[in-house]
Amino acid sequence: MKPTLFLLAAGMGSRYGGLKQLDGLGPNGETIMDYSIYDAIQAGFGKIVWVIRKDFEEQFRTQILSKYEDKIPCELCFQALDALPEGFKCPEGRVKPWGTNHAVLMGKDVIKEPFCVINCDDFYGRDAFMQIGKYLSGLADGTRNKYAMVGFRVCNTLSENGSVARGVCAYNEKRHLTDVVERTEIMRIADKGNAICYKDGEEWIPLEENVPVSMNMWGFTPDYFEHSEAYFKEFLSDPKNMENLKAEFFIPLMVNKLITEGTATCEVLDTTSKWFGVTYAADRQATVDRIAQLVADGVYPNKLF
């Protein structure tokens, strides 16, 4: 069975200042997600699913979905604050979404095969899709609890316009993930010899150039939904998570729990792909230029679809 590509597209880009998932950056107005979908099709994916907010469904169907419906099976699902398990209510005053793993849960009724989760506003590159596509396609029917993530080399994931947040990964001799630690500020620091560093309190701690980091490119089997539903109920049952109106149910939180308790393994796949994206508005022109160069080099056609 061909794997499914599951795109997280429900968020607004607060630092970017707009709905960057729909921003045309390619020579014919292509979005970053257009390139991800093109690469995924080349890598053997057989279906595309998006999770979006209901309030921009019409714009999304017109501007995005219409390009693909005659080329590959497509589905939409929706993330909402009140999409909670029976017995739970959204706290009054909460406006922030419940996080990336809550968004993933929204796909449980439409995804029944191995799937890859990505962000819509990150440019992952062809090699990354080839690596995760090969892994998911190679799983035997009925495989459970064998996951993967694409571990990008941190040196290939930086922005020239400010710090970035990355999940710094550790793995064992089998390349099975042992830990993901979210570092919210990573950048090159001039007075540290231009080394890549993360901020810990007031101190900048150096990182090796090729340390794998998570760019939210995960490969799961459908049993992941069962685990997520169960743990989300635990998450919501914790009073501090209901009282904190910004508490989020993240993918790394779920994965860390499963690998720590021995329920699942998560293989760290290496890639030579260089990430880029529009974390900041100032990143936009550099992204346009890099896509134009890839088109000029023949990596992508001038018009994708």
Side-chain angles (χ1 to χ4, degrees), residues 196-236:
I196 301 171
C197 300
Y198 67 87
K199 196 171 189 180
D200 186 7
E202 296 302 313
E203 188 175 0
W204 288 98
I205 310 297
L207 280 172
E208 293 289 335
E209 295 274 319
N210 291 327
V211 164
V213 296
S214 169
M215 296 304 303
N216 223 30
M217 192 175 201
W218 301 90
F220 298 121
T221 43
D223 53 274
Y224 185 77
F225 294 121
E226 301 167 28
H227 299 310
S228 296
E229 282 190 300
Y231 193 38
F232 192 40
K233 291 176 183 177
E234 288 185 38
F235 178 91
L236 295 172

